[in-house]
Amino acid sequence: MHAYRTHNCGQLRGSDVGTTVRLSGWVHRKRDHGHLLFVDLRDHYGITQVVVDTDSPAFQTFDRLRVESVVTVEGDVVARSPETVNPNLATGEIEVRGREVTVQSAAAELPMPVAGEQDYPEDIRLKYRYLDLRRDKVHQNIVLRSAVIASIRRRMIEQGFTEFQTPILTASSPEGARDYLVPSRVHPGKFYALPQAPQMFKQLIMVAGFDRYFQIAPCFRDEDARADRSPGEFYQLDFEMSFVTQDDVFAAIEPVLSGVFEEFADGRIVTPAGEYPRIPYKEALLKYGTDKPDLRNPLLISDVGEHFKGSGFGLFAGLVEKGAVVRAVAAPGTAEKSRKFFDDMNEWARSEGFAGLGYATRKGGEWGGPIAKNHGEEGMNRLAEAMGLGPDDGIFFAAGKEAAMRVAASTEIFTLAESLGAVESLIEHPGAMTHASAAGSPLEVPDNLLRLSVGIEDGADLVADLAAALDQI
């Protein structure tokens, strides 16, 4: 018999009843029932329940051990009675009657528990990272991250790509953030830069004649934290192709993305490869304010400057004449909202550094607010028809230079959607995983793939899981 284990803690089944086994792992939980001691033994693969009675030599040893002690247990596999079968455990049909136990490492009192999913301050979790990494959610995220990257790598190779590893210690190159610098011992006063992206090296690879390059590339950027990126260090799927059109790029990468999501979607619907909506670059910037739209949000931005040319609302009319733009976002179902709701949105915009938000209210088809009064009922009705509004939908407006209004409106649609509960109502219900592609570029080069974006319809659980796993664990 092996010195430490004949099986792992997630392996035993009903077919193993009657065999003598040896298991090694961590004491996950202990439950003392007087004449019986129940111990959940945990390893990387799962949990097995070990039962020790007072007559067993192992009882005294287990009784004095703290949780998270590491032990090796020898015993017999027995079937649980029907009423004690645990359907939540892969090993829930059986238990091990422990006869002998060897303590490999006795644990002291823990500063934070491993069993359970209690929230703890980040400084505590990082200080005792070796304990935090044992917790089930974090453990599963690390395993998920590994599985996702393995899936990406396998699918890229199937698409004919060759994987490369490019240097980490390199020279500084112009990128979007500050470099991390590493002083050289061999060359005093000189520094290496950590790569913000493998830009120079992948261009070298392509010029050298390698046809399809990819890399799960580490990127180091000294920049402020983002909602979708860890500060300092993150990984990205980086790839290049030779002698291809934009459609060739889509055809190569869509099966990879769809395949990865299908593999980990747990039954959810995923947009099939070849059926991604194509959103032109300019349309993405107009409707979403970004080239990486989040399709969870049902609210869209509309350009309504033409409606105010020569209108009775002199402020907007004057701005449009000077080349400014007017952006509008629908506020659906806000007929019963008080004026405070609209004023709070205006104050929020000012707190974000924008000039503010104008608004028009509508209840039962009747318009309200100074913009509606000055623009006139007929003009407002035309505007509502163009935006596809209902009789109880209001409108928020922002006017100014195009670049500033793009930022303002893109920020506004998410704040407004959250205020109205539009995003949360989608996240609460699992549903479809929707992929979209933003095509074209700011330079109007039609064969340049700008970005692939992932969005969600009716649910974000999988994306949250993948993001947590692919982020810095």
Side-chain angles (χ1 to χ4, degrees):
M1 186 178 290
H2 192 276
Y4 294 106
R5 63 185 182 189
T6 57
H7 301 75
N8 63 57
C9 291
Q11 191 173 358
L12 296 173
R13 299 292 187 270
S15 58
D16 296 301
V17 170
T19 59
T20 298
V21 298
R22 184 173 288 166
L23 304 175
S24 289
W26 286 257
V27 177
H28 190 62
R29 288 188 183 93
K30 292 199 309 179
R31 301 179 298 282
D32 191 344
H33 288 207
H35 63 289
L36 288 175
L37 187 64
F38 292 86
V39 177
D40 289 341
L41 194 65
R42 183 195 76 243
D43 67 4
H44 172 79
Y45 303 96
I47 291 177
T48 296
Q49 179 171 278
V50 178
V51 183
V52 184
D53 60 37
T54 54
D55 297 330
S56 171
F59 184 89
Q60 294 299 325
T61 304
F62 268 125
D63 191 45
R64 69 173 182 266
L65 284 177
R66 297 183 185 273
V67 293
E68 293 307 301
S69 296
V70 182
V71 298
T72 298
V73 179
E74 185 175 326
D76 301 319
V77 180
V78 299
R80 296 196 194 192
S81 59
E83 63 272 13
T84 61
V85 169
N86 186 348
N88 297 319
L89 284 181
T91 59
E93 295 180 350
I94 59 90
E95 58 193 20
V96 174
R97 294 281 177 173
R99 293 197 308 269
E100 299 178 13
V101 59
T102 302
V103 179
Q104 306 293 352
S105 177
E109 185 175 356
L110 300 179
M112 58 179 284
V114 171
E117 293 298 329
Q118 301 95 325
D119 287 329
Y120 281 84
E122 189 173 28
D123 59 335
I124 299 296
R125 294 179 58 195
L126 293 175
K127 182 177 181 180
Y128 302 103
R129 193 60 163 161
Y130 61 94
L131 293 176
D132 189 49
L133 291 172
R134 299 180 191 179
R135 302 172 77 190
D136 184 63
K137 184 63 176 178
V138 180
H139 187 92
Q140 292 302 319
N141 280 345
I142 292 174
V143 174
L144 175 61
R145 181 188 189 278
S146 176
V148 169
I149 289 178
S151 178
I152 292 172
R153 177 173 284 115
R154 182 181 72 253
R155 295 173 192 280
M156 291 297 287
I157 292 172
E158 288 173 355
Q159 290 292 325
F161 288 85
T162 302
E163 183 175 12
F164 291 81
Q165 284 79 43
T166 54
I168 297 299
L169 293 177
T170 180
S172 180
S173 63
E175 295 282 353
R178 293 177 293 273
D179 291 319
Y180 283 110
L181 301 178
V182 179
S184 171
R185 178 187 61 83
V186 179
H187 304 284
K190 303 291 185 180
F191 294 83
Y192 296 102
L194 301 183
Q196 296 187 36
Q199 194 69 34
M200 293 185 299
F201 296 110
K202 69 180 181 182
Q203 290 173 356
L204 181 65
I205 289 168
M206 299 310 291
V207 170
F210 295 94
D211 194 70
R212 293 192 173 196
Y213 145 95
F214 90 96
Q215 181 180 186
I216 311 295
C219 302
F220 306 90
R221 299 182 184 179
D222 184 5
E223 62 184 0
D224 294 336
R226 301 187 188 184
D228 58 353
R229 179 184 294 174
S230 292
E233 176 184 353
F234 63 93
Y235 289 77
Q236 67 184 25
L237 171 59
D238 202 63
F239 67 96
E240 293 283 345
M241 303 170 66
S242 295
F243 306 114
V244 290
T245 65
Q246 178 175 271
D247 286 339
D248 294 329
V249 177
F250 285 139
I253 203 64
E254 285 181 10
V256 175
L257 291 180
S258 289
V260 170
F261 273 80
E262 286 169 358
E263 184 174 347
F264 300 98
D266 194 24
R268 296 182 180 93
I269 300 171
V270 178
T271 306
E275 298 182 16
Y276 288 18
R278 302 285 178 88
I279 305 174
Y281 177 81
K282 285 188 175 181
E283 181 182 333
L285 291 189
L286 173 60
K287 290 185 176 181
Y288 304 95
T290 176
D291 61 352
K292 48 180 181 180
D294 189 330
L295 304 183
R296 288 177 298 177
N297 193 344
L299 304 184
L300 299 176
I301 305 165
S302 299
D303 182 5
V304 296
E306 288 294 324
H307 288 269
F308 288 96
K309 281 186 176 179
S311 75
F313 189 53
L315 176 61
F316 282 1
L319 287 171
V320 172
E321 288 297 325
K322 294 177 182 178
V325 298
V326 181
R327 299 288 194 249
V329 177
T334 50
E336 302 303 324
K337 295 288 186 182
S338 67
R339 177 173 176 175
K340 183 178 184 302
F341 169 80
F342 292 90
D343 289 342
D344 285 347
M345 284 294 298
N346 186 38
E347 288 303 315
W348 164 83
R350 290 178 176 176
S351 72
E352 293 291 312
F354 307 122
L357 295 174
Y359 62 84
T361 62
R362 199 182 193 195
K363 184 175 182 179
E366 296 294 324
W367 292 100
I371 293 180
K373 180 179 179 180
N374 286 282
H375 192 51
E377 182 177 358
E378 185 177 341
M380 292 302 298
N381 287 339
R382 285 197 298 269
L383 180 58
E385 183 179 355
M387 293 179 64
L389 303 185
D392 293 320
D393 297 341
I395 311 175
F396 281 99
F397 298 93
K401 293 183 178 179
E402 183 171 3
M405 289 307 97
R406 181 186 307 145
V407 175
S410 65
T411 309
E412 175 196 346
I413 59 173
F414 257 94
T415 302
L416 180 58
E418 290 170 353
S419 299
L420 296 174
V423 175
E424 286 85 351
S425 63
L426 292 176
I427 294 176
E428 288 171 0
H429 302 95
M433 309 303 300
T434 302
H435 294 68
S437 304
S441 80
L443 301 179
E444 296 300 320
V445 180
D447 287 336
N448 178 34
L449 169 67
L450 180 67
R451 188 184 300 275
L452 289 169
S453 178
V454 178
I456 311 94
E457 290 179 355
D458 297 341
D461 292 341
L462 176 60
V463 166
D465 289 343
L466 289 179
L470 290 169
D471 203 353
Q472 292 298 311
I473 302 292

